[in-house]
């Protein structure tokens, strides 16, 4: 980590029909995976290269919808790209469990990967997500993706997305401006990070507000943009912290942090949103702030992407044939 790349997959595991377009993946070591689901990723109007993708999956709900209860084997999660004329093969991926993950009652998380190589405008690419339960035997982890490849990515419009760069040594990550309303404390980089060594921290005194903003000029008027970041709250959070994608001068702002998406205090969680740029605008802003709250908001690994693809389930969910 509809128009968002975060979706909930619904499986009907008793269905035994096997898709004709991609044979069941059989690893060379003989490991058996009992479940898979097909996902189509359809590109937008712009050609892409090594584009990052995030997909939210709630395995507990998937299983409960068919009356199945089991413990997800997180090491079993695999991502297989299906290419016509080629045997199915695994792609490196990153599966991050949610902050309140429980392998039976709350087995959910975010699966992330790169659409490796070129993807033409409007092109569709097919993946299968394979997984299994601990009851069927524990699996060894598959090929892992370095999370930095998702964030430090050529498609990301943010030049300092992990807040690691501060060349002038003023404590503020390069490219960001802090602002204070009342006597709130300014925004700075801190050593508590999701990945890497630094993140953006926003703190405010009781009754006051503070924030930080990043301006991205040169956007495409009417274009579609995706903003996503990892967020963390420290403190009682009497007022909800906010992370917003905004279009100055157009009077439009959309939050990608919501009460439901923010994790429990002290935990990192990812939130994102896809919005169109209003006609006539040429600048996009990312704003993080606390409003009249004695809390701390941390933001890290920010991604802003142009013309994100869409993800849709295609066909029936499948289980391993006898």
């Amino acid at each position: 980590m509809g128009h968002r790349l975060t979706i909930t997959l619904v499986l009907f595991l008793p269905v035994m029909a096997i898709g004709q377009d991609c044979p069941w993946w059989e690893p060379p070591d003989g490991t058996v995976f009992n479940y898979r689901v097909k996902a189509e990723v359809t590109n937008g109007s712009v050609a892409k290269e090594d584009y990052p993708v995030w997909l939210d999956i709630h395995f507990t709900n998937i299983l409960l919808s068919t009356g199945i209860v089991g413990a997800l084997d997180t090491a079993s999660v695999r991502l297989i790209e299906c290419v016509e004329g080629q045997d199915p093969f695994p792609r490196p991926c990153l599966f991050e469990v949610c902050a309140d993950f429980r392998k039976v009652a709350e087995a959910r998380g975010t699966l992330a990967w790169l659409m490796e190589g070129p993807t033409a405008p409007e092109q569709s690419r097919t993946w299968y997500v394979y997984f299994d339960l601990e009851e069927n035997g524990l699996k060894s982890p598959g090929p892992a993706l370095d999370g930095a490849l998702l964030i430090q990515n050529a498609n990301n419009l943010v030049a300092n997305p992990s807040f690691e760069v501060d060349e002038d040594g003023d404590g503020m990550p390069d490219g960001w401006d802090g602002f204070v309303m009342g006597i709130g404390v300014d925004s700075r980089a801190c050593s508590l990070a999701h990945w890497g060594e630094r993140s953006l921290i926003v703190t405010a005194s009781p009754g006051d507000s503070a924030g930080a903003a990043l301006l991205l000029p040169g956007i495409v008027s009417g274009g579609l943009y995706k903003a996503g970041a990892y967020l963390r709250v420290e403190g009682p959070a009497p007022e909800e912290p906010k992370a917003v994608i905004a279009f100055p001068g157009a009077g439009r702002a959309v939050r990608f942090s919501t009460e439901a998406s923010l994790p429990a205090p002290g935990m990192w969680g990812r939130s994102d949103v896809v919005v169109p740029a209003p006609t006539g605008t040429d600048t996009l802003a990312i704003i993080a702030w606390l409003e009249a709250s004695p809390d701390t908001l941390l933001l890290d690994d920010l991604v802003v992407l142009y013309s994100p693809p869409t993800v849709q389930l295609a066909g029936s969910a499948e289980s391993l044939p006898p």
Side-chain angles (χ1 to χ4, degrees):
M1 119 51 83
H3 296 292
R4 297 183 61 194
L5 292 181
T6 55
I7 63 176
T8 300
L9 309 182
V10 179
L11 297 183
F12 300 90
L13 295 178
V15 176
M16 301 302 293
I18 301 302
Q20 300 300 313
D21 56 346
C22 195
W24 200 273
W25 177 53
E26 298 180 353
D29 63 2
T31 301
V32 175
F33 293 83
N34 285 282
Y35 311 115
R36 76 177 188 178
V37 63
K38 180 181 179 181
E40 294 281 357
V41 180
T42 303
N43 192 18
S45 60
V46 179
K48 297 177 175 63
E49 184 89 18
D50 296 338
Y51 200 86
V53 176
W54 283 268
L55 178 68
D56 284 352
I57 305 180
H58 200 311
F59 290 103
T60 295
N61 286 350
I62 289 169
L63 295 172
L64 287 177
S65 68
T66 61
I68 297 175
V69 177
L72 175 69
D73 177 7
T74 56
S76 73
V77 178
R78 297 288 194 278
L79 183 74
I80 309 298
E81 183 166 19
C82 184
V83 180
E84 185 177 358
Q86 298 183 16
D87 292 333
F89 54 96
R91 289 293 197 186
C93 63
L94 176 66
F95 179 59
E96 288 190 291
V97 301
C98 64
D100 57 349
F101 177 86
R102 297 187 300 278
K103 59 186 178 182
V104 176
E106 195 68 22
R108 61 185 177 91
T110 302
L111 185 66
W113 71 94
L114 293 177
M115 293 200 303
E116 295 180 355
T119 303
E122 314 301 334
Q123 178 185 351
S124 292
R125 297 174 64 169
T126 300
W127 280 268
Y128 282 88
V129 179
Y130 284 74
F131 69 98
D132 216 328
L133 302 177
E134 290 186 352
E135 292 89 329
N136 296 326
L138 297 177
K139 309 295 191 291
S140 299
L145 177 68
D146 183 356
L149 297 177
L150 300 166
I151 309 302
Q152 308 291 341
N153 185 283
N155 296 282
N156 191 356
L157 302 180
V158 182
N160 189 15
S162 297
F163 311 103
E164 304 289 326
V165 181
D166 179 20
E167 292 185 353
D168 57 11
D170 67 349
M172 176 66 69
D174 288 358
W176 286 77
D177 292 318
F179 59 88
V180 180
M181 294 168 283
I183 56 173
V185 180
D186 203 354
S187 309
R188 291 287 184 262
C190 75
S191 59
L192 184 61
H194 171 252
W195 288 324
E197 298 180 355
R198 307 185 81 184
S199 65
L200 181 75
I201 180 171
V202 179
T203 60
S205 301
D208 298 306
S209 303
L214 172 71
L215 296 180
L216 297 175
I219 68 168
V220 178
S221 176
L224 202 62
Y225 288 86
K226 174 186 177 73
Y230 289 88
L231 305 172
R232 177 171 176 155
V233 177
E234 302 284 343
E239 299 291 339
E240 185 182 336
K242 298 175 177 65
V244 171
I245 177 172
F247 301 93
R252 178 168 172 78
V254 179
R255 295 170 59 179
F256 57 90
S257 67
T258 65
E259 186 175 358
S261 67
L262 285 172
M267 306 294 291
W268 287 101
R270 190 174 188 279
S271 298
D272 58 21
V273 69
V274 176
V275 296
T279 302
T281 60
D282 61 2
T283 300
L284 178 153
I286 299 295
I287 304 171
W289 85 89
L290 292 168
E291 185 174 344
S293 176
D295 298 322
T296 298
L297 171 65
L298 296 95
L299 184 144
D300 203 2
D301 297 324
L302 171 67
V303 172
V304 177
L305 301 168
Y306 174 56
S307 186
T310 59
V311 179
Q312 291 182 333
L313 293 181
S316 301
E318 303 162 7
S319 56
L320 181 66

